[in-house]
Amino acid sequence: MRPLHAGAARVKLDPPVGLAMLGYGSRVGRNAGVHDDLAANALVLEDGGAKVAIAGVDVLAIGTRIADDIRERVAANTGIPADSILICATHTHSAPAFNIFATPRAAAIPADGRDLEWERALPGKIASAIVQAHERLEPATLRAATARFTLGINRRLMRPNRQIQLAANRSGPADAQVIALGAYRPDGGPIAFLMNYPCHGVVLCEDNLLYSRDWPGFAMDEIESAAGAGPRPISIFLQGATGNIDPRSRGSFEVAEKYGRTMGRGAFDALEHAPSIAALRIATRKIALHLKLKDLGADLAIARDCAAQTQASLDNHRGGDGYQLKRLRDHHAQSLSALSALEALEEQNRRDRRVDVARRELATAMTVVTIGNLAIVGVPGELFVELGLAIKANRYFDQTFVVGYCNDLIGYIPTRAAYAEGGYEVDTARIAAGSGETIVDTALSALAAMRA
């Protein structure tokens, strides 16, 4: 066994009060204050040779260009290979608005509801957390454990008319297990905790105008305070395969605290009785993904025909300003909305530097880390829970963290079966049916090879 070292650090993000907030298109109003501090929380592990860094960042998402900037800064200051650095958004929907795909240039025009100076400083703050964690490396042991936790519930409910509604589906698949990793000093005192569980950070709804980590923040607070006397450990929440998973109860900070503290305490107690991880060898692998884009041609043609037909109905209406006119206007507005959504997806594909337009492929990557008999699979988007469970069920490692929003964001990653059903996640997904299964197969192949 190689000697293991671990270091952890936290850097507050300190977004200015008063910015617009991401996460809900229907949110009205701007940020009105801070309920709990948003931060970048980082853990660095070293096995005497290889190093890996994992950061959990309390924002909605981080695209590849910003993640690459952070990784390059860290690599230059620590020697940790850029491909061994995982930048993972916690996906709280109570965080400030910013361009998640690019840091504003110096000449950028000020944007309403945003603070470009804060956005420019953000990569440095996140990188600083990892650099500080690296500077604090000290001898450590690791433990891993699982605990039962059932906040998440499937949110794709099939209605009698065979349409998918975003609503609780109690018979749908969900994950009832939190996975935790603890790093401990030789005297038993904790250095850091990782917790991984799939459930959107949306206990707080669109009426919330305070910055918050949502329910994962309370989980982090609980596991840190449970450690008792001594230096306070750093906790890191890694969002899971949460593409089709919402909280089963929502609406207030009280609900967020109830569930968050339950998870934090459950993870802490499970780790207290867990054995140390054996054969602590660290390995990382960055794996390129080239995923086919959805073919929007047929849908666009239909949407344009519908818009033309509802416009013609309006133009031909001669019935005054009564109910019939209102109904025609509503129909036309729906047609335009559907067309606009498809055109926005197509425009996003045209402008995205990751897209090969000729091949209609989106280029991204996943990162796989193995630490003894534990694995971490970092996925660049919102993976459906069925796909996450398939990766977790691999026979190669005792515990497998499936981490979403890692080093990039490509949007929703539904199952092949979900594409036939439709629904919000499928409608807004950019990648073609079967992409999720490709990601699962790629991850399982990598885990098999790294275990050999």
Side-chain angles (χ1 to χ4, degrees):
M1 289 179 60
R2 299 177 180 178
L4 181 80
H5 291 77
R10 169 177 292 136
V11 172
K12 292 199 299 179
L13 302 183
D14 288 329
V17 170
L19 300 184
M21 297 175 70
L22 290 177
Y24 295 104
S26 58
R27 180 180 265 134
V28 177
R30 297 196 180 167
N31 168 261
V34 179
H35 181 275
D36 49 283
D37 287 323
L38 308 179
N41 303 288
L43 172 66
V44 173
L45 299 173
E46 178 186 25
D47 69 359
K51 297 178 183 179
V52 63
I54 304 163
V57 187
D58 297 321
V59 294
L60 187 76
I62 294 176
T64 186
R65 290 167 65 184
I66 297 178
D68 286 350
D69 179 11
I70 296 165
R71 286 149 48 126
E72 289 167 6
R73 295 180 192 222
V74 172
N77 283 279
T78 65
I80 303 173
D83 288 351
S84 297
I85 300 169
L86 284 69
I87 310 299
C88 310
T90 64
H91 199 57
T92 173
H93 283 48
S94 294
F98 71 103
N99 183 348
I100 65 175
F101 294 108
T103 302
R105 298 177 180 176
I109 299 172
D112 187 41
R114 289 167 46 194
D115 186 310
L116 302 191
E117 287 304 313
W118 177 78
E119 293 184 35
R120 293 184 187 106
L122 183 61
K125 291 181 178 181
I126 299 169
S128 175
I130 303 174
V131 171
Q132 290 181 42
H134 183 263
E135 292 170 348
R136 298 174 186 175
L137 284 170
E138 57 182 307
T141 58
L142 298 181
R143 301 179 212 156
T146 61
R148 182 170 173 79
F149 184 59
T150 58
L151 172 61
I153 190 168
N154 195 285
R155 72 181 193 184
R156 286 173 56 83
L157 181 64
M158 180 73 77
R159 306 303 297 176
N161 62 2
R162 308 301 298 171
Q163 292 186 341
I164 293 291
Q165 179 181 349
L166 285 182
N169 176 10
R170 298 186 183 280
S171 63
D175 194 335
Q177 184 186 75
V178 56
I179 304 180
L181 175 70
Y184 301 86
R185 298 181 179 88
D187 65 4
I191 298 169
F193 299 106
L194 292 181
M195 292 182 289
N196 175 225
Y197 180 76
C199 182
H200 265 84
V202 295
V203 166
L204 305 175
C205 300
E206 54 265 52
D207 59 341
N208 173 54
L209 296 178
L210 301 178
Y211 295 141
S212 174
R213 300 162 294 167
D214 208 287
W215 69 266
F218 291 105
M220 291 188 279
D221 291 345
E222 180 65 24
I223 199 170
E224 291 177 13
S225 62
R232 189 176 178 98
I234 300 294
S235 60
I236 301 161
F237 176 73
L238 300 175
Q239 186 60 264
T242 189
N244 53 345
I245 301 294
D246 270 355
R248 65 180 59 245
S249 185
R250 302 179 64 183
S252 69
F253 283 102
E254 290 74 20
V255 172
E257 181 169 10
K258 172 188 172 182
Y259 282 100
R261 291 197 180 278
T262 297
M263 189 182 95
R265 174 57 65 170
F268 180 85
D269 291 345
L271 286 169
E272 285 288 278
H273 302 96
S276 296
I277 296 177
L280 278 173
R281 177 178 176 272
I282 295 172
T284 61
R285 181 177 294 184
K286 180 181 177 182
I287 304 164
L289 297 170
H290 297 275
L291 304 173
K292 288 293 184 183
L293 295 171
K294 278 196 307 188
D295 184 356
L296 301 177
D299 290 340
L300 274 167
I302 293 170
R304 287 175 180 134
D305 283 347
C306 287
Q309 289 176 33
T310 53
Q311 181 65 64
S313 295
L314 267 178
D315 292 343
N316 293 330
H317 180 67
R318 298 293 183 267
D321 294 328
Y323 176 80
Q324 176 68 9
L325 179 60
K326 178 183 182 303
R327 184 169 63 178
L328 291 173
R329 285 173 173 166
D330 288 345
H331 287 173
H332 188 53
Q334 292 168 8
S335 296
L336 291 178
S337 177
L339 176 59
S340 177
L342 287 168
E343 289 177 338
L345 279 178
E346 194 72 347
E347 178 64 16
Q348 192 175 7
N349 291 336
R350 282 194 293 267
R351 298 179 56 164
D352 193 334
R353 298 183 183 184
R354 299 169 297 178
V355 167
D356 184 323
V357 176
R359 297 174 63 90
R360 292 199 62 80
E361 287 183 346
L362 188 153
T364 185
M366 71 166 65
T367 302
V368 179
V369 177
T370 60
I371 307 166
N373 55 15
L374 178 142
I376 301 172
V377 178
V379 178
E382 303 190 78
L383 198 69
F384 269 33
V385 72
E386 299 95 315
L387 303 172
L389 289 170
I391 296 173
K392 284 179 66 173
N394 76 83
R395 67 179 187 272
Y396 309 110
F397 291 87
D398 291 348
Q399 281 106 5
T400 300
F401 289 57
V402 179
V403 182
Y405 313 95
C406 179
N407 289 336
D408 198 3
L409 180 70
I410 63 171
Y412 285 105
I413 307 171
T415 60
R416 185 187 296 274
Y419 278 85
E421 298 171 340
Y424 169 73
E425 300 92 349
V426 172
D427 292 344
T428 56
R430 298 175 61 196
I431 52 178
S435 298
E437 286 74 14
T438 295
I439 289 173
V440 171
D441 291 344
T442 303
L444 294 177
S445 295
L447 291 171
M450 295 173 78
R451 191 60 171 171

